[in-house]
Amino acid sequence: MKRLIGYPVLLMSLAFVMYAFTTPEKKAVLDGKGISFFEGSLEEAKKEAKQNKKYLFVDVYATWCGPCKLLKRNTFSDAEVGTYFNENFVSKMVDGERGEGLELVRKHPIAGYPTMFVFDSEGNLKGKVVGYQTPSQLLSRVEQIIGK
């Protein structure tokens, strides 16, 4: 009888953890106060950055990555982060394990997810940030990279 009571609790806990790491992902990107991510291809994002003389910010994530989802929910949705990035960057999200993300990761190897790249308007890599960052940490790191 003891085992029967333990399994439902385990299953409910697992369901809660899965829900916590998957549900907020779209809201963080679409809520309007955070970073506005470019919808086109990475190549189109590069052209957009060059035309507007902005930096290119590329978030390389994996669909299974918990810290990536937390970054989207807690940091990319932050109003201050959104204002700063939307003014200074063309921002793009890329799945590092699919499509154009595979080519990016081959050209610029990463040690883990999430990894965020900062390129200048000409497409030159200025720096990268690895791992989960709070809003203030991300702003500080990116300002160091671009020298502002």
Side-chain angles (χ1 to χ4, degrees):
M1 196 61 152
K2 288 183 183 179
R3 286 188 176 202
L4 292 177
I5 293 171
Y7 288 119
V9 172
L10 178 64
L11 289 173
M12 287 177 57
S13 298
L14 182 61
F16 175 75
V17 169
M18 290 175 62
Y19 175 81
F21 279 109
T22 58
T23 308
E25 184 175 341
K26 288 185 180 177
K27 178 186 177 285
V29 177
L30 303 175
D31 69 1
K33 66 179 180 174
I35 297 174
S36 295
F37 285 92
F38 188 79
E39 295 291 327
S41 70
L42 183 57
E43 198 56 44
E44 291 169 335
K46 289 177 185 178
K47 289 177 186 174
E48 183 81 11
K50 187 171 185 170
Q51 278 181 332
N52 293 307
K53 295 183 171 71
K54 289 186 172 185
Y55 291 94
L56 176 64
F57 175 77
V58 181
D59 169 43
V60 181
Y61 68 92
T63 57
W64 51 263
C65 170
C68 300
K69 293 175 184 186
L70 289 174
L71 186 68
K72 291 174 191 175
R73 180 177 32 176
N74 299 335
T75 304
F76 294 163
S77 65
D78 181 80
E80 185 179 358
V81 170
T83 299
Y84 181 79
F85 275 80
N86 295 338
E87 288 176 4
N88 297 293
F89 293 87
V90 171
S91 300
K92 174 75 178 141
M93 287 183 166
V94 176
D95 185 338
E97 298 182 335
R98 297 190 180 131
E100 62 189 357
L102 289 171
E103 182 61 33
L104 178 66
V105 170
R106 262 182 254 155
K107 187 173 182 179
H108 303 285
I110 63 172
Y113 296 106
T115 296
M116 296 151 277
F117 292 105
V118 176
F119 298 92
D120 65 17
S121 61
E122 296 299 316
N124 302 308
L125 181 63
K126 299 290 288 177
K128 65 182 171 180
V129 180
V130 179
Y132 176 79
Q133 306 288 306
T134 64
S136 61
Q137 288 172 328
L138 181 61
L139 288 171
S140 176
R141 296 288 309 277
V142 168
E143 286 175 344
Q144 288 175 345
I145 290 170
I146 65 174
K148 285 189 177 182

